[in-house]
Amino acid sequence: MSIAGQVKKRKRISKEESDGSSTEKINHLLHSYLECEAVEFRKNLLEWFTKNKRDLPWRQRAVQGSLEERVYSVLVSEVMLQQTQVNTVIAYYQKWMAQWPTFGDLAGATPEQVNEMWSGLGYYARGKRLQEAAKEMSKKTIGIPCSAAELQKSLPGVGRYTASAVASIVFGEKVAAVDGNVIRVLSRHRVIGADSSTNNTVNEIWKIADDLIDPQEPGKFNEAMMELGAVVCTPKAPKCSECPVRSSCLAYKSTKVREKAQLSLKCNPDVPDIESVPGCSLCLPVEEQLDISLGVLNYPRKGKKAPPRKQVSVVWILQKCTSDDDVEYFMVKRPDKGLLGNLWEFPCHVVPPERLTSKEVYADDILKEQHGIDVFEVQSTKLLGSVLHEFSHIHQTYVVFHGKVEEIKSLLTSEQYQAQQWISKTQFETAAVSTAMRKVFALLDSPCHQSNKILGKRRIERKKIKNNSMITSFFKPKNTEK
Ligand code: SF4
């Protein structure tokens, strides 16, 4: 049935369902579900999920043990899954649950242990907040919060989505859990063309999801919606032909109708501009147009974000020989707050824009100012190369230097770092360091670095910087990773 036909049908059914009451909200109805549509959607989705759901470790734990253990296991998985792919999370989750199987165990860990365990997962504040929640639960003064509202109110760092996911999966509360996957599925299924990154649109999608949720199996329904978004209705390559709710997907239908119209090389009068209904807060704004070639990928729509800022930092990997001929590396601990808080890193300093054409000199200055070392005291100084690491809001390039020293002479300024230590390569493997620093450290073993050695241990020509082009070629990335 065409979209125009659907609208007519929805008008008619809506009148019947509301016993002839006003249909002036018909535009919005296109973005919501009639009860008969919701029933069909739930049935198709839950049947598909029963047959196709992935065997994930947190799904087994969610139905085992005491209520408190179940809350804990679902909470840990949901927090880890925010911003991180399932495949990455699985190993971290299993290791975490083996180490700290209960709230009490996690509450007793040190922040350093939590950081070490979280190392490589990204968005490090999540681990810290999980531990804060565990400490709160361990006080035993609050009992087990058993609704989404209570979970959100009593546990630090637990937001609306996480609270709803836990409450629906563990306690069977009829509340929707709307994450990026669900926003994508519903935006496509209900042709929501408004900017999906605004609070207004997200709140409206929560309302739609709350109406759509299966009243008998809300937890399973929420999991199924997320699973659908993760494996079928994916961001860039949705598998519409395998989708269990395709028969009622408006984005899919309108795409097919348009394709048909294009094939017949004539305008199809049966295709209304459904995305641009004036006055509807969920429709595509009237002044904007769909890119027909994108099909269902037109949804969800996101407003233009500010592009990530570019930042260049110099990093010094400084090593020394221990008395028993082992090698140790100098590391410093970042401040408690802010990006990569509490993680260890090699001394790393953002190059001010006005020094970008002399990063090499800046690197030397930093050695002197921060570590009390004159660069001529550093043996075998090398430029190892550069590493690109993308944070959500920063495109960060690390220009990495390496050198051998006897000892770091001065204490670091306390404002910039919390602590310092020398660690071995083995200790580095399990230390609380970011993925970016692991990439930096990997440069030491990279073939590119090895070839530098073979080619005569090219030393940094600090005093010979004559023009920018020479510097540019000198700092040309030799090993760029994403
Ligand atoms: Fe997503 Fe395609 Fe399914 Fe629609 S039919 S919900 S666009 S996968």
Side-chain angles (χ1 to χ4, degrees):
M1 184 185 292
S2 72
I3 299 299
Q6 282 220 12
V7 172
K8 276 184 202 158
K9 184 183 170 192
R10 291 167 67 79
K11 237 179 206 172
R12 180 175 51 75
I13 297 174
S14 161
K15 270 185 181 165
E16 288 166 9
E17 284 191 352
S18 60
D19 204 18
S21 61
S22 166
T23 57
E24 65 186 38
K25 285 190 175 176
I26 188 65
N27 299 337
H28 291 277
L29 279 176
L30 195 63
H31 305 303
S32 59
Y33 292 88
L34 301 169
E35 185 52 26
C36 56
E37 292 171 323
V39 167
E40 190 192 352
F41 185 107
R42 293 169 195 146
K43 180 174 166 291
N44 291 341
L45 179 70
L46 291 176
E47 279 178 6
W48 167 83
F49 184 61
T50 303
K51 283 187 206 145
N52 297 285
K53 69 177 170 188
R54 291 170 292 177
D55 184 18
L56 301 172
W58 45 89
R59 288 192 172 145
Q60 293 151 18
R61 282 182 173 268
V63 291
Q64 289 170 356
S66 67
L67 265 188
E68 188 174 316
E69 285 166 352
R70 290 170 59 200
V71 169
Y72 176 70
S73 58
V74 176
L75 181 65
V76 172
S77 66
E78 289 300 336
V79 172
M80 284 187 172
L81 286 165
Q82 289 163 18
Q83 318 281 352
T84 311
Q85 300 281 329
V86 166
N87 289 343
T88 307
V89 167
I90 290 174
Y92 279 89
Y93 180 80
Q94 286 171 324
K95 215 170 141 197
W96 181 286
M97 296 304 285
Q99 176 100 355
W100 302 305
T102 65
F103 279 118
D105 295 320
L106 178 57
T110 65
E112 190 70 14
Q113 286 174 317
V114 171
N115 265 338
E116 284 171 11
M117 185 70 87
W118 205 271
S119 173
L121 256 188
Y123 295 93
Y124 294 86
R126 293 180 296 168
K128 186 179 165 192
R129 294 216 190 94
L130 252 183
Q131 194 186 28
E132 286 168 2
K135 284 183 178 164
E136 200 59 39
M137 283 294 290
S138 299
K139 286 182 190 164
K140 298 283 181 197
T141 50
I142 58 172
I144 303 174
C146 50
S147 70
E150 282 179 44
L151 281 160
Q152 198 175 341
K153 196 172 134 204
S154 50
L155 297 185
V158 172
R160 184 180 181 185
Y161 163 77
T162 308
S164 302
V166 173
S168 62
I169 292 170
V170 179
F171 302 112
E173 187 180 354
K174 188 177 166 281
V175 281
V178 175
D179 68 350
N181 285 319
V182 176
I183 288 175
R184 185 167 58 255
V185 170
L186 288 180
S187 294
R188 288 174 181 168
H189 208 261
R190 293 294 95 184
V191 284
I192 294 170
D195 180 353
S196 69
S197 59
T198 65
N199 286 343
N200 177 60
T201 307
V202 172
N203 286 337
E204 291 295 322
I205 291 177
W206 272 94
K207 285 184 203 159
I208 295 169
D210 269 332
D211 287 342
L212 184 61
I213 195 167
D214 189 287
Q216 310 302 326
E217 300 184 276
K220 186 175 174 186
F221 181 88
N222 281 337
E223 283 192 86
M225 283 291 277
M226 292 179 231
E227 186 93 339
L228 185 71
V231 302
V232 176
C233 195
T234 56
K236 290 186 181 148
K239 303 180 187 102
C240 295
S241 59
E242 298 171 22
C243 179
V245 292
R246 185 187 64 209
S247 62
S248 52
C249 176
L250 296 180
Y252 177 79
K253 283 186 179 188
S254 62
T255 299
K256 287 291 155 200
V257 170
R258 286 196 169 93
E259 280 172 8
K260 236 177 172 178
Q262 277 186 343
L263 274 179
S264 65
L265 294 176
K266 63 180 183 186
C267 179
N268 186 340
D270 219 12
V271 186
D273 191 3
I274 57 160
E275 295 81 8
S276 302
V277 177
C280 173
S281 65
L282 290 180
C283 277
L284 182 78
V286 272
E287 64 278 9
E288 292 185 39
Q289 288 193 335
L290 292 179
D291 180 345
I292 303 300
S293 66
L294 288 178
V296 300
L297 297 184
N298 276 294
Y299 309 92
R301 291 174 67 82
K302 288 188 184 149
K304 286 193 180 105
K305 274 202 306 189
R309 75 171 192 272
K310 291 185 177 169
Q311 187 169 281
V312 177
S313 298
V314 296
V315 180
W316 274 103
I317 301 180
L318 295 169
Q319 72 174 63
K320 69 168 184 179
C321 277
T322 61
S323 50
D324 44 2
D325 266 358
D326 277 341
V327 173
E328 286 185 334
Y329 302 92
F330 184 67
M331 300 205 78
V332 287
K333 192 175 189 183
R334 289 180 66 86
D336 181 40
K337 303 242 176 330
L339 184 69
L340 308 176
N342 283 324
L343 296 188
W344 291 91
E345 67 182 14
F346 299 109
C348 174
H349 303 271
V350 176
V351 183
E354 66 276 12
R355 304 285 300 266
L356 278 175
T357 53
S358 60
K359 295 186 274 297
E360 176 191 55
V361 176
Y362 182 73
D364 297 353
D365 292 348
I366 280 294
L367 265 188
K368 186 78 181 167
E369 289 162 20
Q370 297 287 329
H371 311 293
I373 300 175
D374 193 303
V375 75
F376 294 108
E377 298 172 44
V378 183
Q379 300 156 23
S380 309
T381 316
K382 287 188 186 70
L383 170 67
L384 296 185
S386 65
V387 166
L388 175 66
H389 189 80
E390 293 182 5
F391 297 98
S392 56
H393 57 303
I394 304 173
H395 276 196
Q396 171 70 57
T397 301
Y398 296 100
V399 182
V400 186
F401 295 88
H402 172 246
K404 297 174 182 170
V405 293
E406 295 293 318
E407 190 62 75
I408 297 293
K409 289 181 179 173
S410 74
L411 288 176
L412 295 165
T413 52
S414 57
E415 276 173 23
Q416 178 152 13
Y417 289 116
Q418 297 186 63
Q420 54 187 325
Q421 64 174 342
W422 290 93
I423 63 171
S424 67
K425 193 170 184 180
T426 313
Q427 288 168 321
F428 179 87
E429 302 301 332
T430 54
V433 297
S434 65
T435 304
M437 278 302 129
R438 292 193 189 283
K439 290 180 185 176
V440 163
F441 195 53
L443 278 185
L444 263 182
D445 294 326
S446 74
C448 174
H449 174 219
Q450 298 300 336
S451 71
N452 270 352
K453 278 183 185 168
I454 294 162
L455 289 172
K457 300 186 179 178
R458 176 180 176 183
R459 285 184 62 85
I460 300 167
E461 297 174 38
R462 289 176 195 79
K463 306 295 179 190
K464 295 181 184 173
I465 301 168
K466 286 181 180 150
N467 57 47
N468 290 353
S469 62
M470 174 184 164
I471 297 165
T472 307
S473 77
F474 191 77
F475 282 93
K476 196 175 166 192
K478 295 182 177 69
N479 186 340
T480 303
E481 297 176 45
K482 279 199 176 185

